[in-house]
Amino acid sequence: MTAEAAKAEALIRHYFDMCNAADLQGLIECFTPDAVHYFPPGLPGAPWRGAKAIAEGWVWCVETLGSKWTIEKVLCTADGREGVIEWTHWKTAIGEVLRGDEWYVFNDDISRIVEIRAYYASPVDKSAPVNKLQEFDYEKRGYHLSPPLVKGRA
């Protein structure tokens, strides 16, 4: 792995740490001021535009939905300018689990996220306890089967 790819991966992992901690300022600092987070159709208010709006959106999810996230896989380009991850979003307060991918674009020095494009594994099915790919063996592949324990949060 190149130093640039490692820097991009470290930024993604830091961003997820800030999401799980519901750290508003830490989240804002992960993005360029004009960053955009795109989502599949159906999420009210999407896309989220601007570092502050993105940060506030994830803090709201933690406070309202009991959101916690795990990163399952990470791939970054050798030059560190782009990356893609596979994630799990645990909505512990409402008993939902969503899996998906995100494509990342970084600024020139790989210090901030410019853009995220999220793709869900499946349409959200409110009647399903876990939203996931049909017949994909998450356990066998080593994916998390429960939300992370986050220091200071239930």
Side-chain angles (χ1 to χ4, degrees):
M1 177 184 298
T2 65
E4 293 83 1
K7 188 173 180 181
E9 180 174 342
L11 178 53
I12 292 168
R13 291 188 182 281
H14 175 70
Y15 164 58
F16 271 68
D17 288 345
M18 296 300 97
C19 286
N20 283 322
D23 184 328
L24 182 68
Q25 189 58 41
L27 280 163
I28 290 170
E29 292 170 4
C30 289
F31 292 93
T32 59
D34 61 345
V36 181
H37 195 316
Y38 296 96
F39 296 90
L43 182 68
W48 293 347
R49 296 183 183 279
K52 187 174 181 206
I54 296 167
E56 289 172 344
W58 293 135
V59 169
W60 180 90
C61 286
V62 170
E63 292 173 350
T64 307
L65 306 174
S67 292
K68 296 177 183 178
W69 295 267
T70 50
I71 296 173
E72 308 301 345
K73 307 285 181 191
V74 179
L75 295 172
C76 294
T77 58
D79 66 4
R81 294 301 306 278
E82 296 183 273
V84 65
I85 69 165
E86 198 169 21
W87 48 258
T88 304
H89 181 177
W90 309 90
K91 301 174 188 179
T92 63
I94 61 173
E96 287 181 9
V97 179
L98 179 63
R99 297 194 188 267
D101 293 331
E102 287 178 338
W103 193 275
Y104 289 75
V105 177
F106 304 100
N107 64 349
D108 289 339
D109 68 356
I110 317 167
S111 63
R112 301 281 186 267
I113 301 165
V114 173
E115 178 183 280
I116 301 175
R117 298 185 309 271
Y119 302 92
Y120 299 160
S122 61
V124 176
D125 178 353
K126 299 289 187 183
S127 67
V130 178
N131 282 259
K132 60 184 181 176
L133 293 172
Q134 185 175 341
E135 297 184 24
F136 185 86
D137 192 341
Y138 289 95
E139 183 174 18
K140 183 178 180 182
R141 299 262 189 125
Y143 286 69
H144 294 88
L145 300 178
S146 59
L149 298 175
V150 179
K151 198 177 208 179
R153 293 199 169 280

